[in-house]
Amino acid sequence: MPAQAHGFAIKTPRSTVTDFGTEFGVQVQDSAASEVHVFDGRVQVRTAPRSHQPSRKQDVTQGKAAVISQSGMLDINRLGARPNLFMRDIPGPNSFGIPNKRMDLADIVGGGSGFGTGRRYACINPVTGHTVSTCRSERRAGGKGYVKVPSLPFVDGVFVPLAKGGLIPISTAGHHFDFPPGQGNWYVEPAHAGKPDPRAFLTLDGQTYGTADRPALLMHANLGITFDLDAIRASLTGTRIKGFTSVCGISNHVQRNKTPDAILYVLVDGQVRFFREIELPADPAVHIDIDLRQHERFLTLVCLAGTANYGDWTLFGVPALELEGGFEDATVPR
């Protein structure tokens, strides 16, 4: 913010944010709760007075965030990784995630807002729930249950389906699903785009994925990931999630002398909305188009190894939440 603009203020339903030469982001939720994230410099946050609760003001400095609750309570927290929830630059002409149009789930796995702010190649360990900067391929034992991902606000959790199959939890709200028996192990973390040179191998029906305009969520068997649609809705004031679309399949690079195959599920609140047993070369790319209703909260994507147990380099290309309505998310550059 230039010097002559110091004192610029943004009003939210429960607070006023005054700039003192900084770069910061403001996010307002449908509930009237809001967050103020300071990337550089300093702002002052003043809460609106309410009955039996006087106004309160506090400075928020670089690397911290203020959370103003629905009731007007003010709390100052460490910013952590949440700068990635804001668009700090104008999206390029090839950007896939576009406010008021579509939200990129691969970008969310990369720690982003769904609009191109995530870290390419970032991924999630499905046993610990921790995020890591890049994936690696090696056989590893599965975990024992559903794991939360606290560092990614739009990802509810991850899991590795059990070798014996059967009911396992797939959300923090207690949804379960009865999976068939499988391998019980995993090889590669669910990742935003995959390996550091995704163009070398993420292809479906001759089309390259894992780029800015064609992102990819790599889901090598055996993995599951659940997105919290309510948390996403809370960040998209005035915007409705219409549905989920993607093109999925086994990356065409793996076809050699064998016939790679895999099993894909898309679940909504624990109910099957898409199921497909795929193999190469018969299924070079499969399109998914699912309507999502306002009361539906959890979207779960799952990949299981097929009978061949070979070449399960499965990906969800251009994985999008289709949007309509308004979008309110402001970032003020210095």
Side-chain angles (χ1 to χ4, degrees):
M1 185 70 68
Q4 62 268 27
H6 289 189
F8 170 84
I10 293 178
K11 289 193 174 184
T12 77
R14 299 287 183 266
S15 65
T16 299
V17 183
T18 304
D19 162 72
F20 291 105
T22 186
E23 181 186 5
F24 66 100
V26 178
Q27 185 180 76
V28 182
Q29 300 179 3
D30 280 334
S31 65
S34 60
E35 298 179 6
V36 181
H37 296 251
V38 180
F39 312 131
D40 188 21
R42 173 175 66 95
V43 301
Q44 183 184 88
V45 177
R46 180 191 294 270
T47 60
R50 305 188 71 188
S51 58
H52 309 296
Q53 182 179 308
S55 174
R56 179 187 171 195
K57 65 179 180 179
Q58 187 165 342
D59 286 356
V60 186
T61 54
Q62 178 178 337
K64 294 184 178 180
V67 178
I68 301 93
S69 69
Q70 183 178 3
S71 64
M73 297 295 292
L74 174 64
D75 184 32
I76 307 296
N77 295 308
R78 282 285 177 185
L79 188 60
R82 293 183 67 85
N84 288 334
L85 291 181
F86 294 86
M87 290 181 296
R88 300 172 68 180
D89 299 289
I90 297 174
N94 295 325
S95 297
F96 178 72
I98 301 174
N100 199 33
K101 185 174 182 180
R102 61 175 172 256
M103 199 170 195
D104 177 5
L105 294 185
D107 183 72
I108 287 174
V109 170
S113 63
F115 302 110
T117 62
R119 299 179 300 277
R120 190 72 63 83
Y121 320 126
C123 46
I124 308 168
N125 185 303
V127 173
T128 65
H130 297 158
T131 55
V132 291
S133 60
T134 188
C135 61
R136 57 190 176 95
S137 176
E138 67 174 286
R139 182 171 178 167
R140 286 167 276 186
K144 296 182 179 180
Y146 188 76
V147 181
K148 297 180 183 179
V149 185
S151 64
L152 301 181
F154 300 153
V155 177
D156 185 67
V158 289
F159 58 96
V160 178
L162 301 175
K164 65 180 181 180
L167 282 171
I168 66 168
I170 59 171
S171 80
T172 54
H175 296 93
H176 289 69
F177 190 76
D178 190 2
F179 288 103
Q183 302 297 322
N185 47 38
W186 62 285
Y187 290 81
V188 183
E189 296 87 350
H192 176 13
K195 289 188 175 179
D197 185 12
R199 292 170 297 179
F201 78 116
L202 290 183
T203 59
L204 296 175
D205 200 18
Q207 176 65 59
T208 298
Y209 292 87
T211 60
D213 59 334
R214 290 184 177 271
L217 174 56
L218 177 63
M219 289 282 290
H220 191 297
N222 298 277
L223 293 173
I225 182 169
T226 297
F227 296 90
D228 187 340
L229 299 179
D230 275 359
I232 293 172
R233 290 184 183 105
S235 74
L236 301 173
T237 303
T239 298
R240 185 176 74 88
I241 298 174
K242 296 192 300 181
F244 168 69
T245 60
S246 181
V247 54
C248 64
I250 300 170
S251 182
N252 300 165
H253 84 286
V254 302
Q255 188 176 358
R256 299 291 186 268
N257 298 323
K258 299 180 181 180
T259 302
D261 61 347
I263 303 170
L264 296 177
Y265 291 88
V266 178
L267 311 174
V268 178
D269 288 347
Q271 301 299 310
V272 177
R273 299 289 285 275
F274 173 87
F275 169 80
R276 187 72 174 261
E277 297 180 7
I278 59 174
E279 66 176 35
L280 290 179
D283 302 301
V286 178
H287 291 267
I288 303 173
D289 190 346
I290 296 172
D291 291 334
L292 293 171
R293 303 174 184 88
Q294 189 66 18
H295 68 275
E296 293 172 329
R297 179 178 176 187
F298 295 105
L299 174 70
T300 303
L301 310 181
V302 184
C303 175
L304 303 180
T307 56
N309 193 27
Y310 163 78
D312 307 321
W313 288 89
T314 307
L315 64 129
F316 289 86
V318 290
L321 292 179
E322 302 295 336
L323 309 174
E324 69 176 4
F327 182 90
E328 298 179 12
D329 191 355
T331 300
V332 181
R334 182 171 57 182

